Structures are given as structure tokens and as C-alpha cells.
Amino acid sequence: MKVMALFGRGNIGKTRCLGHLVNLIHSEGKGCNYLFEGQDTRVTLDYKGHRITICTWGDNEYEEQ
């Protein structure tokens, strides 16, 4: 399993960037499972034989547990 992280201070476009990535992968992939909470999203997609999950939640104490 590989984990990639996009990080930085708030309000610089991380969530928007990940949203664009989800749209690109979803348009070419098959299978999708969305979970929305406000603007934050968790999406699992199958893409070219790989299962990819993209989460836009932050790294506060609640998400880290």
C-alpha cells in the first residue's frame, strides 16, 4: 500500500485540487463509493487495476484516531 499526502496551511486549494483529481479519475475509472460531509469527501475508485481512496478530511485529532 502506498500513501500520498497533500499538506499545507489552510485555504490554499488542497481540497479543490483533490476534487479535480477525483473528477479526472472518476471519468476514466469504474466503480465508485462516495462519502460526503459538508465540503469534505472520501471517495474510493477502481482505476487501471488499482483501488484508490482520496480523503479530503483534515488532520485534526478526530480524524487521526
Side-chain angles (χ1 to χ4, degrees), residues 37-65:
E37 273 192 17
Q39 287 186 329
D40 287 318
T41 308
R42 181 170 49 204
V43 182
T44 301
L45 304 148
D46 294 320
Y47 179 73
K48 295 187 177 182
H50 300 280
R51 175 143 298 168
I52 300 169
T53 299
I54 299 172
C55 300
T56 64
W57 278 276
D59 59 356
N60 62 44
E61 185 178 344
Y62 178 76
E63 277 86 21
E64 289 180 351
Q65 292 180 7

Side-chain angles (χ1 to χ4, degrees), residues 6-16 39-40 56-59:
L6 182 61
F7 64 95
R9 64 180 175 78
N11 298 314
I12 60 171
K14 297 179 300 292
T15 297
R16 187 180 319 185
Q39 287 186 329
D40 287 318
T56 64
W57 278 276
D59 59 356

Side-chain angles (χ1 to χ4, degrees), residues 26-42:
H26 184 263
S27 67
E28 294 184 24
K30 294 188 179 12
C32 185
N33 180 15
Y34 284 97
L35 176 62
F36 295 101
E37 273 192 17
Q39 287 186 329
D40 287 318
T41 308
R42 181 170 49 204

